[in-house]
């Protein structure tokens, strides 16, 4: 009982530590937009360069996601997190203290790249360690900490500007918070951080390139012999070939002397095993026949064993790399061929494009075009960003659930219709802002609130639909791919595209383009709705092969 209390306490403290990480790592997303004018004056940045500055961190994040899933699966997550987060602190301090343009840009890219491991692993850790009663709440808290960090960055930067303090101080303060959290992570016991610690890893080499369940769960077990505590990693051949089955104890597999990288079920392991066995058998036979050549044969045996292990390691690495590339493109082609998933994914990407573009450029836009005070802009945007996303997500999720969710075909159509309605309601104030160009900051803030509110109401059902329309074995890859697409077409593209337009035509034209391009999300929702209507019609025709009129849920 006491052990359970201690474990629960440590897990709760680790969760609080991850929340602090989440808040601290997002502070710069609020600091840079507020200080964008000061940073531009110091480094002589054009509009395009300002956009590049905002896009470098998402670009590093997107590139790093490609390798982070592999690294977290095959190395200690705690060690990976400590290393990546410490390097993120170093990159952030380099950004804060840099006077050279190369360090200024490269440190932002590296900062985003080192953050990917944390933001990929935290949802997995929460799902594994959170108490079953509070799992959904814990995941919700993790999602809420990112905008909270941005808001605190806005508020903190506004206070520093009032006291005429430099933007570098805000970035150094952020680095100090993250460094303290890294020290706290070092003190956490590894068994409360690594979810793979007590798990037996699957084989690194698939049996064939076209293994049956691409992207299936990594929680696989070694195949064991019935009644034996050992696990086979080499397939036996017939007795004529003389190839015996080799076994390793599970305890041995966990030992550091035997790397999981050297275990496999493939042809390479079998032939390498036979080579080693034959080498050992021949060496022992020759030693019995001729004792004088024992040293030479011993050296030959060791050399052949090392050579065979080297060949096996090289071929295993090549096979794994080829299989990984094959699986990646196979999964990507499967997801893209799912038109409803693809439409929902692009809808979310353009929604995030709008939200990120507003966050990054709103201060510069209102200051330069309408000469509003910085404190007033920060106050209005903080109120909008605190209330609109939270209420939008809650209202959208509650309405979709009350209408029956999105699991059944008819319910899915209803959900897509509601999402289209949300899109139109966000589309109207966006176009009003483009055509009217509110000079009054209050009316402008109300328009932004409506855009973000109805956009946030679309996020939860779209995310659920993207999970439900793919098969179970593809869901983890679906989540990773959607994260990658959202960062490329949303967080990365918003500052860069708007900065490029502003460089050519000015911020007065560039900022409304954020709202116009964000309206493409409505177009992709309509495409998804039309496609789903066709699928529903085909579904009903299969249920009524005699062409009997089927019940239409829209008329009920």
């Amino acid at each position: 009982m006491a052990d359970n209390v201690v474990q629960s306490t440590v897990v709760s403290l680790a969760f609080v530590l991850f929340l602090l990480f989440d808040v601290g790592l997002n502070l710069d997303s609020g600091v840079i937009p507020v200080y964008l004018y000061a940073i531009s004056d110091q480094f002589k940045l054009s509009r395009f360069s300002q956009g590049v500055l905002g896009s470098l961190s998402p670009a590093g994040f997107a590139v790093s996601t490609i390798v982070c899933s592999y690294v977290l699966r095959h190395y200690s997550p705690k060690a990976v997190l400590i290393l990546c987060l410490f390097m993120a602190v170093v990159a952030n301090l380099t950004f804060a203290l840099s006077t050279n343009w190369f360090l200024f840009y490269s440190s932002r890219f590296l900062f985003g790249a080192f953050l990917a491991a944390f933001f990929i692993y935290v949802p997995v850790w929460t799902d594994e360690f959170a108490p079953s009663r509070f799992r959904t709440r814990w995941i919700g808290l993790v999602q809420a900490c990112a905008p909270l960090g941005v808001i605190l960055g806005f508020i903190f930067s506004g206070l520093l500007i009032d006291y005429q303090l430099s933007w570098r101080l805000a970035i150094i303060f952020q680095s100090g918070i993250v460094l303290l959290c890294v020290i706290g992570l070092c003190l956490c016991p590894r068994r409360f951080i690594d979810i793979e610690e007590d798990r037996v890893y699957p084989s690194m080499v698939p049996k064939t390139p076209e293994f049956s369940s691409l992207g299936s769960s990594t929680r696989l077990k070694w195949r064991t012999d019935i009644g034996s505590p050992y696990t086979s990693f080499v397939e036996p051949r017939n007795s004529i070939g003389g190839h015996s089955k080799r076994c390793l104890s599970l305890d041995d597999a966990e030992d550091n002397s035997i790397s999981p990288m050297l275990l496999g079920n493939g042809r390479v392991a079998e032939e390498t095993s036979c080579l080693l066995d034959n080498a050992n058998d021949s060496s022992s036979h020759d030693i019995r026949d001729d004792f004088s050549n024992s040293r030479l044969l011993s050296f030959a045996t060791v050399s052949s064993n090392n050579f065979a292990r080297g060949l096996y390691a090289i071929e295993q690495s090549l096979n794994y790399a080829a299989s990984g590339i094959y699986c990646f493109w196979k999964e990507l082609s499967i997801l893209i061929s799912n038109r409803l998933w693809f439409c929902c994914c692009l809808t979310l990407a353009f929604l995030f494009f709008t939200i990120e573009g507003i966050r990054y450029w709103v201060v510069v836009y209102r200051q330069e075009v309408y000469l509003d005070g910085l404190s007033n802009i920060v106050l209005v945007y903080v109120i909008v960003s605190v209330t609109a996303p939270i209420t939008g997500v809650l209202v959208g999720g509650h309405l979709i659930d009350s209408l029956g969710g999105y699991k059944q075909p008819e319910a899915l159509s209803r959900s897509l219709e509601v999402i289209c309605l949300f899109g139109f309601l966000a589309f109207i104030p966006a176009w009003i802002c483009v055509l009217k160009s509110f000079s009054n900051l209050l009316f402008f803030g109300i328009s932004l609130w409506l855009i973000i509110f109805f956009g946030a109401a679309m996020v939860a059902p779209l995310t659920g639909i993207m999970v439900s329309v793919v098969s179970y074995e593809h869901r983890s890859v679906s989540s990773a791919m959607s994260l990658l697409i959202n960062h490329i077409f949303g967080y990365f593209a918003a500052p860069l595209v708007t900065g490029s337009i502003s460089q050519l035509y000015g911020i007065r034209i560039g900022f409304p383009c954020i709202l116009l391009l964000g309206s493409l999300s409505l177009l992709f929702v309509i495409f998804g709705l039309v496609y789903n209507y066709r699928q529903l019609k085909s579904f009903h025709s299969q249920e009524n092969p005699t062409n009997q009129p089927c019940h239409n849920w829209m008329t009920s």
Side-chain angles (χ1 to χ4, degrees):
M1 183 65 180
D3 292 340
N4 292 334
V5 173
V6 172
Q7 291 179 3
S8 300
T9 303
V10 176
V11 168
S12 299
L13 292 175
F15 178 66
V16 172
L17 182 64
F18 283 140
L19 294 182
L20 293 176
F21 265 122
D22 205 352
V23 172
L25 292 172
N26 283 283
L27 286 174
D28 63 299
S29 298
V31 171
I32 293 178
V34 175
Y35 275 105
L36 192 57
Y37 252 134
I39 297 174
S40 301
D41 291 339
Q42 186 171 355
F43 286 91
K44 309 302 181 186
L45 301 180
S46 62
R47 291 289 182 219
F48 177 76
S49 300
Q50 293 174 8
V52 170
L53 176 63
S55 299
L56 283 173
S57 182
F61 189 98
V63 171
S64 183
T65 53
I66 300 174
V67 298
C68 276
S69 59
Y70 171 83
V71 172
L72 288 170
R73 250 166 60 187
H74 297 90
Y75 298 94
S76 168
K78 179 183 176 181
V80 172
L81 290 180
I82 291 174
L83 177 62
C84 289
L85 292 172
F86 179 76
M87 294 305 298
V89 171
V90 174
N92 212 32
L93 287 174
T94 304
F95 172 71
L97 302 176
S98 61
T99 56
N100 179 273
W101 67 270
F102 178 77
L103 292 177
F104 179 74
Y105 283 117
S106 60
S107 59
R108 287 305 296 168
F109 180 86
L110 293 175
F111 180 72
F114 288 124
L115 296 186
F118 174 81
F119 287 107
I120 289 174
Y121 186 71
V122 166
V124 180
W125 181 92
T126 305
D127 182 72
E128 184 77 16
F129 281 93
S132 57
R133 307 184 291 173
F134 306 110
R135 183 172 290 117
T136 305
R137 301 178 191 177
W138 281 29
I139 294 176
L141 288 173
V142 170
Q143 295 175 343
C145 280
L148 178 61
V150 176
I151 294 166
L152 291 178
F154 264 93
I155 297 174
F156 183 63
S157 300
L159 294 175
L160 291 180
I161 286 181
D162 289 339
Y163 290 97
Q164 299 181 351
L165 297 175
S166 173
W167 61 274
R168 300 178 186 273
L169 181 61
I171 300 298
I172 293 173
F173 176 76
Q174 178 194 17
S175 302
I177 292 178
V178 177
L179 183 60
L180 291 176
C181 293
V182 170
I183 296 173
L185 182 60
C186 295
L187 299 178
C188 287
R190 179 179 171 182
R191 63 192 182 98
F192 294 107
I193 304 298
D194 291 3
I195 64 174
E196 302 286 344
E197 183 173 323
D198 297 325
R199 188 171 300 156
V200 180
Y201 289 88
S203 172
M204 288 288 296
V205 182
K207 293 182 181 179
T208 62
E210 300 178 352
F211 48 96
S212 58
S213 63
L214 297 173
S216 59
S217 173
T218 57
R219 300 182 183 182
L220 305 177
K221 297 294 184 182
W222 294 95
R223 183 175 56 193
T224 56
D225 295 333
I226 300 177
S228 172
Y230 296 95
T231 298
S232 66
F233 70 100
V234 174
E235 296 288 343
R237 287 190 178 180
N238 51 39
S239 57
I240 299 176
H243 294 180
S244 61
K245 179 185 294 187
R246 301 191 57 173
C247 297
L248 282 178
S249 171
L250 295 179
D251 294 332
D252 293 336
E254 295 177 355
D255 189 82
N256 293 331
S257 61
I258 302 177
S259 172
M261 295 283 290
L262 298 179
L263 301 180
N265 285 334
R267 175 182 57 83
V268 181
E270 182 179 359
E271 294 181 355
T272 305
S273 172
C274 297
L275 180 60
L276 297 178
D277 289 340
N278 293 336
N280 291 330
D281 293 341
S282 62
S283 64
S284 61
H285 177 73
D286 290 339
I287 289 173
R288 286 193 301 267
D289 291 343
D290 190 2
F291 181 77
S292 62
N293 294 328
S294 60
R295 292 186 178 180
L296 178 62
L297 290 174
S298 177
F299 173 78
T301 300
V302 172
S303 300
S304 62
N305 288 350
N306 293 334
F307 180 72
R309 290 192 182 96
L311 288 178
Y312 165 61
I314 294 173
E315 187 171 352
Q316 184 190 41
S317 301
L318 294 176
N319 287 343
Y320 181 75
S323 300
I325 296 173
Y326 172 82
C327 295
F328 173 80
W329 288 112
K330 185 90 179 270
E331 291 281 0
L332 184 60
S333 63
I334 291 173
L335 291 175
I336 293 178
S337 63
N338 189 328
R339 297 180 185 178
L340 184 56
W341 181 91
F342 189 63
C343 289
C344 292
C345 187
L346 290 181
T347 301
L348 283 176
F350 282 103
L351 280 176
F352 293 139
F353 176 92
T354 301
I355 295 173
E356 177 68 12
I358 292 173
R359 178 195 66 81
Y360 192 79
W361 292 105
V362 64
V363 174
V364 174
Y365 174 70
R366 294 302 302 187
Q367 277 187 316
E368 184 171 316
V369 177
Y370 298 104
L371 305 178
D372 292 325
L374 179 61
S375 58
N376 294 331
I377 300 172
V378 171
L379 177 62
V380 170
Y381 184 74
V382 165
I383 295 174
V384 170
S385 59
V386 167
T387 57
I390 297 175
T391 55
V393 168
L394 294 177
V395 170
H398 176 74
L399 184 58
I400 295 298
D401 288 339
S402 63
L403 293 176
Y406 45 79
K407 293 293 185 181
Q408 301 303 322
E410 290 82 2
L412 178 59
S413 295
R414 284 196 296 270
S415 299
L416 289 173
E417 289 175 347
V418 173
I419 293 172
C420 281
L421 176 61
F422 288 151
F424 273 111
L425 294 176
F427 176 81
I428 293 172
W431 272 90
I432 291 176
C433 280
V434 172
L435 299 176
K436 179 66 175 175
S437 297
F438 290 110
S439 59
N440 189 299
L441 184 59
L442 178 61
F443 289 119
F444 179 78
I446 293 174
S447 300
L448 290 186
W449 193 94
L450 293 174
I451 295 170
I452 297 176
F453 172 82
F454 289 111
M458 301 168 64
V459 172
L462 283 172
T463 305
I465 290 172
M466 288 177 60
V467 174
S468 64
V469 297
V470 298
S471 57
Y472 181 80
E473 62 269 18
H474 299 299
R475 289 183 178 179
S476 59
V477 181
S478 169
S479 177
M481 289 297 175
S482 63
L483 183 66
L484 183 62
I485 291 174
N486 291 339
H487 271 79
I488 293 176
F489 293 99
Y491 300 109
F492 169 76
L496 187 62
V497 172
T498 311
S500 302
I501 297 174
S502 300
Q503 179 72 28
L504 297 175
Y505 305 104
I507 192 65
R508 182 184 289 271
I509 303 298
F511 187 85
C513 287
I514 298 173
L515 307 178
L516 293 178
L517 292 175
S519 302
L520 292 175
S521 59
L522 175 62
L523 184 63
F524 285 107
V525 170
I526 295 175
F527 287 158
L529 180 63
V530 172
Y531 174 76
N532 185 72
Y533 277 151
R534 294 178 180 177
Q535 294 294 104
L536 186 62
K537 184 178 179 180
S538 175
F539 173 76
H540 284 311
S541 64
Q542 292 177 2
E543 283 191 335
N544 298 272
T546 58
N547 294 326
Q548 296 294 328
C550 59
H551 175 69
N552 188 354
W553 58 268
M554 291 182 290
T555 61
S556 59

